[in-house]
Every structure is written in C-alpha cells, then in structure tokens.
Amino acid sequence: MREADAAKAALEAKVKSLAQQPRWKPTCDALKCLKGIDAVTAASIACEADGFARFATASGFAAWVGLVPSEHSSGESRFRGGITKAGNKHLRKLLVEAAWHYKGASRSPKDLAKGQVVDAATRRHANAGVRRLVDRRRSMDDAGKQSSVANVAVARELACWCWAVGRMAEGA
C-alpha cells in the first residue's frame, strides 16, 4: 500500500509540473478557481479538452463529455432520458466527482493557491459560477431530487463553466 501511495504521489507530482508549463498554466490556474477542481483535475480537463476554443459552445463541450440528456422524439412528442454517456469517459468521471463538492459548499469564492495567477475578469466569472452551482445544488436538494441526479445536473453545468473559464484563460 505504501508503494501504491508513493507511485500515486509521484504521478501527481508529474501532472502538477505539467500544469505549470506555459501552454497549460493559464488554463489550469483559471480552472482551479472552481470548487472541486484541484491541480490534477484542472490539468486533466485542460489536456483532455486540448483547447476550449475548438468547441463553439458550452453545451457543445458538455455534449462532447457526454453530460447532456438523451432525447427520444417522434413528431410532437419528446422524451428526455438520462445522460448520453457518449463522450470522454475520463473527463465525465472527473466532472461528476468534482460536482460532489457543491453539496453543502458555501457560496464564497475559492482562495488562490500559491503561484496561481488568474486575471480579475476570469476570477469574477469563476466566482459567479461557484455561486450559481452552489445555489443550483441547494435548490435541487430542497426540491427533493435524488442526490445522484442532482449531482449529474451540477456536473453538466460545471462542464459549461469550465468551458467558459477555459475560453477566458485562453484569451478567446
């Protein structure tokens, strides 16, 4: 178990050093402003997305991750089902895990970590996202939604906020 912990720590150190490279640092630093996203998760999201500018819309990014509802429609009738899961499985898992942090979280913004550099506009936007996601999670909990359903809904919206914050960090 100690060897596994040491191997995990070594991998995390490599990912964190990758996140500090000039190509990834602005995006990773911006993503870390969202609750539930640490250095390793931010680096994974940034690397998997490989540039948020390639997605025209936030919902397009969420669809690529597989966090949009499936739809069965015929004529005038529409039925929306569970999420499609037709996308990047690794990224979907990371976002769903990150979304659990919004259950019982405060609306206050996340403090910047040592060495984290984020411009004011991107930070304000990320803070607005944190407030929105905390409020959304609370409203779903208050409405009696099943916890896992509420979490996936928050994960979908978190994907959209990641896209927006990532685009801002990339200068788009």
Side-chain angles (χ1 to χ4, degrees):
M1 185 153 165
R2 285 187 203 109
E3 287 179 22
D5 282 343
K8 180 183 176 214
L11 276 173
E12 285 177 355
K14 284 181 183 180
V15 171
K16 286 177 183 178
S17 70
L18 170 78
Q20 293 302 310
Q21 292 179 357
R23 182 183 195 295
W24 303 111
K25 184 168 175 41
T27 305
C28 291
D29 282 356
L31 290 172
K32 288 191 301 185
C33 290
L34 296 165
K35 288 188 178 180
I37 298 180
D38 64 353
V40 174
T41 305
S44 297
I45 292 170
C47 290
E48 291 284 340
D50 194 26
F52 290 97
R54 70 188 187 113
F55 301 99
T57 62
S59 59
F61 177 67
W64 180 74
V65 175
L67 283 171
V68 293
S70 61
E71 184 176 300
H72 308 284
S73 50
S74 175
E76 301 266 332
S77 67
R78 270 192 197 167
F79 172 76
R80 289 203 170 190
I83 61 169
T84 61
K85 296 184 184 175
N88 190 310
K89 183 178 181 178
H90 176 64
L91 204 50
R92 184 172 53 252
K93 179 183 172 190
L94 289 175
L95 289 167
V96 169
E97 286 179 5
W100 283 110
H101 286 82
Y102 291 90
K103 184 175 178 68
S106 71
R107 297 179 83 232
S108 63
K110 221 172 130 178
D111 293 330
L112 291 177
K114 182 181 175 189
Q116 186 179 359
V117 179
V118 182
D119 69 273
T122 304
R123 186 151 164 74
R124 275 192 308 275
H125 198 66
N127 293 342
V130 167
R131 287 189 302 275
R132 163 80 179 153
L133 292 168
V134 167
D135 290 346
R136 180 146 164 88
R137 180 58 196 242
R138 277 193 193 137
S139 69
M140 285 191 273
D141 287 343
D142 292 345
K145 290 282 185 192
Q146 187 178 359
S147 192
S148 59
V149 171
N151 193 64
V152 171
V154 169
R156 185 229 180 261
E157 197 164 332
L158 177 59
C160 294
W161 283 101
C162 285
W163 175 85
V165 168
R167 290 279 304 228
M168 290 177 81
E170 292 170 357

